[in-house]
Amino acid sequence: MSVPVQLNTAIKNPFIVPGLKKIDIDSQLNVNYSFENFIEGDCNRLARSAAWAVAGKPGGTSFNPLLLYGATGLGKTHVAHAIGIEIKNNFPQKTVLYVPADRFMNQFVDAVKNNTQNDFIHFYEMMDVLIIDDIHFLSGKEKTQDVFFHIFNHLHQNHKQIILTSDKAPVDMQGIEQRLLSRFKWGLSADLQSPDLETRIAILKKKMYVDGIELPTDIVEYIAYSITSNVRELEGALISIIAQASLNKKPITLELAKQMIDKFVKNTVHEISIDYIQKVVCDYFELPLETLKSKTRKREVVQARQLAMYFSKNMTKSSLSAIGAHCGGKDHATVLHACRTVNNLMETDKKFKGYVADLQKRINLNSRG
Ligand code: ADP
Ligand code: MG
């Protein structure tokens, strides 16, 4: 057996400061979280383009720090890595480090214990690009915030790039010192929101492409319709369907996918979405979704649109104006009018009443386990 040659490029102990020499560290980047693998949508356009700009000119844009914020599972960590990866591609000599805030804190606590605080600080001050993920974790951790404040100032003064992620915008952060919050606001805060249906489908397709998986379109669409708010869950559902099918050596059918997703969704708080209702209504009347969302005043389309609004009002927590916006840019008064019309028609038109009952059944049927 041959003995592998030990490559001495990575620093074992990050707190050994090698004088003025440029240090060569493992940037801790996950290559899968590249820009290439990140799907752009309305939900993330600003964050993605700011990230891209920073990656092309680290420390040289006004986006310093760049703070990416948003709810869990929407791609903050992914974009943060993507910046690091792209910077390493563009400027291989730059020292880039990705560190989750909890690890940063634990390292600091260890440094205090071992009396190596200065090494800790020096190490971080040597970065050209420092990416700290989930900075909200430092909430209430005053000592760590204090040391981060000094590192931040040093890096910023030297035009080094700082990238942060957080679950909230700086204005809403609790337990973070004012002087840090005001520094977070120096650069750009960009949010990531829940992806719309098209983006969710594109994300699933991308994931399938990267993993070399093939699935029929109706299954992909079913997953995207059912799981609406969190990309991590979206991917989780895809993976469990595939795992289940391969374990059972069964082909993946829409039936199997539904069972899996229902189980998946049952464990999370399940909410019926406007997207989902629109899909059921469109399928029922055999209308393309674009037509439902268009301004067309054709009678059948108006009726389908009114039904979608009616069910959205009754079965989701969405506001009237959100429902209107989803149904072809209508206002809340139009939604109210639609609900009244549907109620009136149900009393006077037997056939219409039948539609409503059918649709109600379908929405319930497909949305529960
Ligand atoms: P967060 O850090 O906001 O909680 P992550 O960055 O960990 O979320 O994203 C969760 C998962 O969703 C990751 O696997 C990530 O690759 C994926 N993901 C999120 N947004 C996108 C997107 N727009 N395109 C492709 N994948 C995405
Ligand atoms: Mg994250």
Side-chain angles (χ1 to χ4, degrees):
M1 218 179 99
S2 66
V3 179
V5 181
Q6 186 85 40
L7 282 181
N8 209 12
T9 47
I11 291 188
K12 292 278 150 41
N13 176 354
F15 307 134
I16 293 173
V17 183
L20 290 173
K21 210 172 124 254
K22 262 258 168 247
I23 54 168
D24 191 0
I25 56 161
D26 179 350
S27 296
Q28 310 285 328
L29 295 164
N30 176 344
V31 290
N32 294 321
Y33 287 167
S34 60
F35 276 114
E36 214 203 332
N37 288 345
F38 189 77
I39 300 292
E40 184 172 350
D42 287 341
C43 53
N44 58 38
R45 207 174 304 285
L46 174 67
R48 194 204 167 276
S49 27
W52 183 254
V54 162
K57 228 178 158 197
T61 68
S62 49
F63 309 150
N64 198 16
L66 175 62
L67 179 98
L68 305 162
Y69 69 92
T72 183
L74 296 183
K76 302 182 293 294
T77 298
H78 188 136
V79 177
H81 279 271
I83 300 171
I85 294 168
E86 191 64 21
I87 292 177
K88 279 310 255 182
N89 287 341
N90 294 339
F91 313 95
Q93 76 289 1
K94 284 207 188 289
T95 311
V96 177
L97 182 67
Y98 165 88
V99 62
D102 57 341
R103 194 181 306 156
F104 177 84
M105 190 188 86
N106 291 333
Q107 286 179 349
F108 175 62
V109 170
D110 284 347
V112 171
K113 225 185 279 162
N114 302 328
N115 209 10
T116 52
Q117 275 135 293
N118 287 339
D119 292 349
F120 174 86
I121 293 170
H122 280 135
F123 173 75
Y124 276 98
E125 288 183 347
M126 266 187 298
M127 297 305 134
D128 295 314
V129 179
L130 178 61
I131 306 167
I132 302 198
D133 203 0
D134 294 325
I135 198 81
H136 52 269
F137 185 84
L138 298 189
S139 164
K141 317 278 167 38
E142 283 160 28
K143 294 247 169 55
T144 312
Q145 286 184 37
D146 197 45
V147 75
F148 176 56
F149 177 75
H150 291 288
I151 292 168
F152 183 105
N153 287 340
H154 180 94
L155 294 178
H156 198 272
Q157 275 157 17
N158 290 289
H159 309 287
K160 308 298 188 181
Q161 181 69 46
I162 300 155
I163 297 139
L164 307 169
T165 77
S166 166
D167 64 349
K168 289 195 188 68
V171 279
D172 299 319
M173 285 184 201
Q174 307 277 323
I176 303 278
E177 285 176 44
Q178 206 49 50
R179 56 182 188 165
L180 266 179
L181 289 182
S182 77
R183 271 158 183 77
F184 292 173
K185 293 177 199 154
W186 281 353
L188 178 78
S189 302
D191 69 334
L192 289 147
Q193 293 182 351
S194 300
D196 59 25
L197 181 65
E198 283 74 20
T199 312
R200 295 199 298 276
I201 293 176
I203 290 173
L204 286 172
K205 289 195 170 151
K206 181 82 196 182
K207 176 94 184 141
M208 287 160 49
Y209 175 78
V210 171
D211 293 355
I213 302 162
E214 278 179 40
L215 276 183
T217 308
D218 56 345
I219 296 182
V220 177
E221 289 183 353
Y222 187 80
I223 303 172
Y225 283 122
S226 315
I227 296 177
T228 56
S229 62
N230 183 320
V231 181
R232 191 175 294 124
E233 281 174 14
L234 194 65
E235 292 186 344
L238 177 69
I239 292 162
S240 46
I241 288 171
I242 294 183
Q244 189 72 13
S246 74
L247 284 175
N248 296 346
K249 303 206 167 49
K250 275 196 227 160
I252 305 174
T253 59
L254 187 58
E255 215 29 63
L256 175 69
K258 281 183 179 172
Q259 284 169 15
M260 291 294 307
I261 290 184
D262 291 343
K263 243 188 258 160
F264 205 85
V265 173
K266 234 194 274 168
N267 293 332
T268 57
V269 182
H270 188 215
E271 279 166 27
I272 295 169
S273 67
I274 305 176
D275 285 338
Y276 181 73
I277 290 172
Q278 288 180 336
K279 151 93 175 142
V280 174
V281 172
C282 284
D283 282 356
Y284 186 75
F285 291 111
E286 291 176 354
L287 279 177
L289 186 62
E290 303 85 72
T291 313
L292 187 96
K293 290 187 172 196
S294 72
K295 307 263 179 230
T296 310
R297 290 177 182 277
K298 270 199 191 152
R299 207 177 148 265
E300 322 83 81
V301 181
V302 171
Q303 202 164 76
R305 198 183 289 134
Q306 288 180 328
L307 280 162
M309 291 180 181
Y310 167 85
F311 284 111
S312 299
K313 159 115 186 343
N314 290 342
M315 301 184 72
T316 74
K317 290 190 192 117
S318 307
S319 68
L320 293 173
S321 45
I323 294 171
H326 257 71
C327 298
K330 303 287 191 286
D331 62 11
H332 77 283
T334 311
V335 181
L336 271 184
H337 174 73
C339 296
R340 249 178 260 132
T341 309
V342 170
N343 281 321
N344 289 341
L345 277 175
M346 277 197 292
E347 281 171 23
T348 53
D349 183 339
K350 268 229 173 91
K351 196 161 147 214
F352 186 83
K353 196 174 172 185
Y355 292 159
V356 176
D358 277 354
L359 280 167
Q360 181 79 64
K361 237 182 273 163
R362 288 185 183 210
I363 294 169
N364 286 339
L365 194 82
N366 285 332
S367 64
R368 303 250 172 259

